[in-house]
């Protein structure tokens, strides 16, 4: 099966852009589910509600299904922490990359460094949510790296997969290894264009993102 990494990044934007990334990831998980794609893992870098980036590891033809989502996304909203004269347009970028195979890596870090919680699979909610908490969220406390795995049917299998992904990520970071595809994804962190947004949002009545259409 085709596998891809859907990367969302705030670039070097302020905290409002990072919060937008977290909200945008929730929307894109729903878009993936509606398109028949499986979000097998979610890797969050940075604070949970205001991350620098989020990578959705997707099973399925994400490049085709999400072609209309690739590019700059814009949220039009005044920030409560800034004056009325301040900017009110916040930008994040979405890109899709081929996924590299998960190669063997050292053993996961000690369990004392991990926070493991069970959660429901299927993304942000609605009809796609499983009633059984088979998905697993693993946080590496020292680094703040978070992996959520939901691609397997059993909680045990998802935990195994999440730990493997976490170990691989930590190993790559420690060794400073940068494969060509990883380097491409890393460069995209700094390619958030302010303008020419493919999607524009406002704050919905429920506090979530309300799509306003193309910019």
């Amino acid at each position: 099966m085709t596998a891809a990494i859907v990367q969302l990044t705030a670039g070097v934007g302020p905290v409002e852009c990072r919060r937008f990334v977290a909200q945008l990831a929730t929307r894109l998980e729903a878009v993936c589910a509606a398109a028949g794609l499986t979000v097998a893992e979610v890797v969050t870098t940075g604070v949970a509600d205001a991350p620098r980036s989020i990578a959705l590891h997707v099973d399925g033809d994400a490049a085709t299904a999400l072609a209309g989502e690739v590019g700059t996304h814009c949220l039009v909203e005044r920030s409560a922490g800034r004056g009325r004269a301040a900017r009110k347009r916040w930008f994040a970028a979405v890109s899709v990359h081929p996924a590299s195979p998960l190669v063997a890596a050292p053993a996961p870090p000690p369990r004392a460094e991990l926070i493991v919680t069970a959660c429901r699979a299927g993304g942000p909610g609605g009809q796609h949510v499983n009633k059984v908490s088979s998905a697993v969220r693993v946080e590496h406390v020292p680094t703040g790296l978070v992996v959520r795995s939901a691609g397997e049917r059993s909680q045990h299998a998802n935990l195994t997969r999440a730990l493997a992904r976490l170990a691989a990520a930590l190993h790559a970071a420690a060794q400073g290894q940068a494969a060509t595809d990883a380097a491409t994804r890393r460069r995209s962190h700094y390619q958030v264009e302010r303008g020419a947004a493919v999607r524009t949002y406002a704050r919905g009545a429920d506090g979530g993102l309300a799509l306003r259409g193309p910019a």
Side-chain angles (χ1 to χ4, degrees), residues 22-23 41 45 57 60 65 73 83 90-91 101 133 174 196 199 209 212:
Q23 297 159 349
E41 298 162 7
T45 303
H57 290 253
H73 291 239
W90 314 104
F91 298 93
S133 298
R199 298 280 187 272
L209 297 179
R212 293 179 56 177

Side-chain angles (χ1 to χ4, degrees), residues 94-186:
V94 174
S95 54
V96 178
H97 308 270
S100 301
L102 183 59
V103 297
R111 291 298 289 265
E113 296 182 356
L114 305 176
I115 297 176
V116 179
T117 53
C119 53
R120 291 179 179 177
Q127 61 180 336
H128 302 291
V129 173
N130 293 338
K131 299 306 181 183
V132 178
S133 298
S134 59
V136 173
R137 179 183 185 275
V138 180
E139 178 181 356
H140 184 235
V141 176
T143 63
L145 187 66
V146 176
V147 175
R148 176 161 56 84
S149 181
E152 307 294 339
R153 292 184 178 274
S154 74
Q155 187 178 112
H156 177 74
N158 279 321
L159 176 59
T160 299
R161 183 166 175 168
L163 291 174
R165 179 67 65 185
L166 179 64
L170 292 173
H171 178 66
Q175 297 298 319
Q177 296 174 346
T180 301
D181 55 347
T184 299
R185 296 197 302 272
R186 194 159 51 248

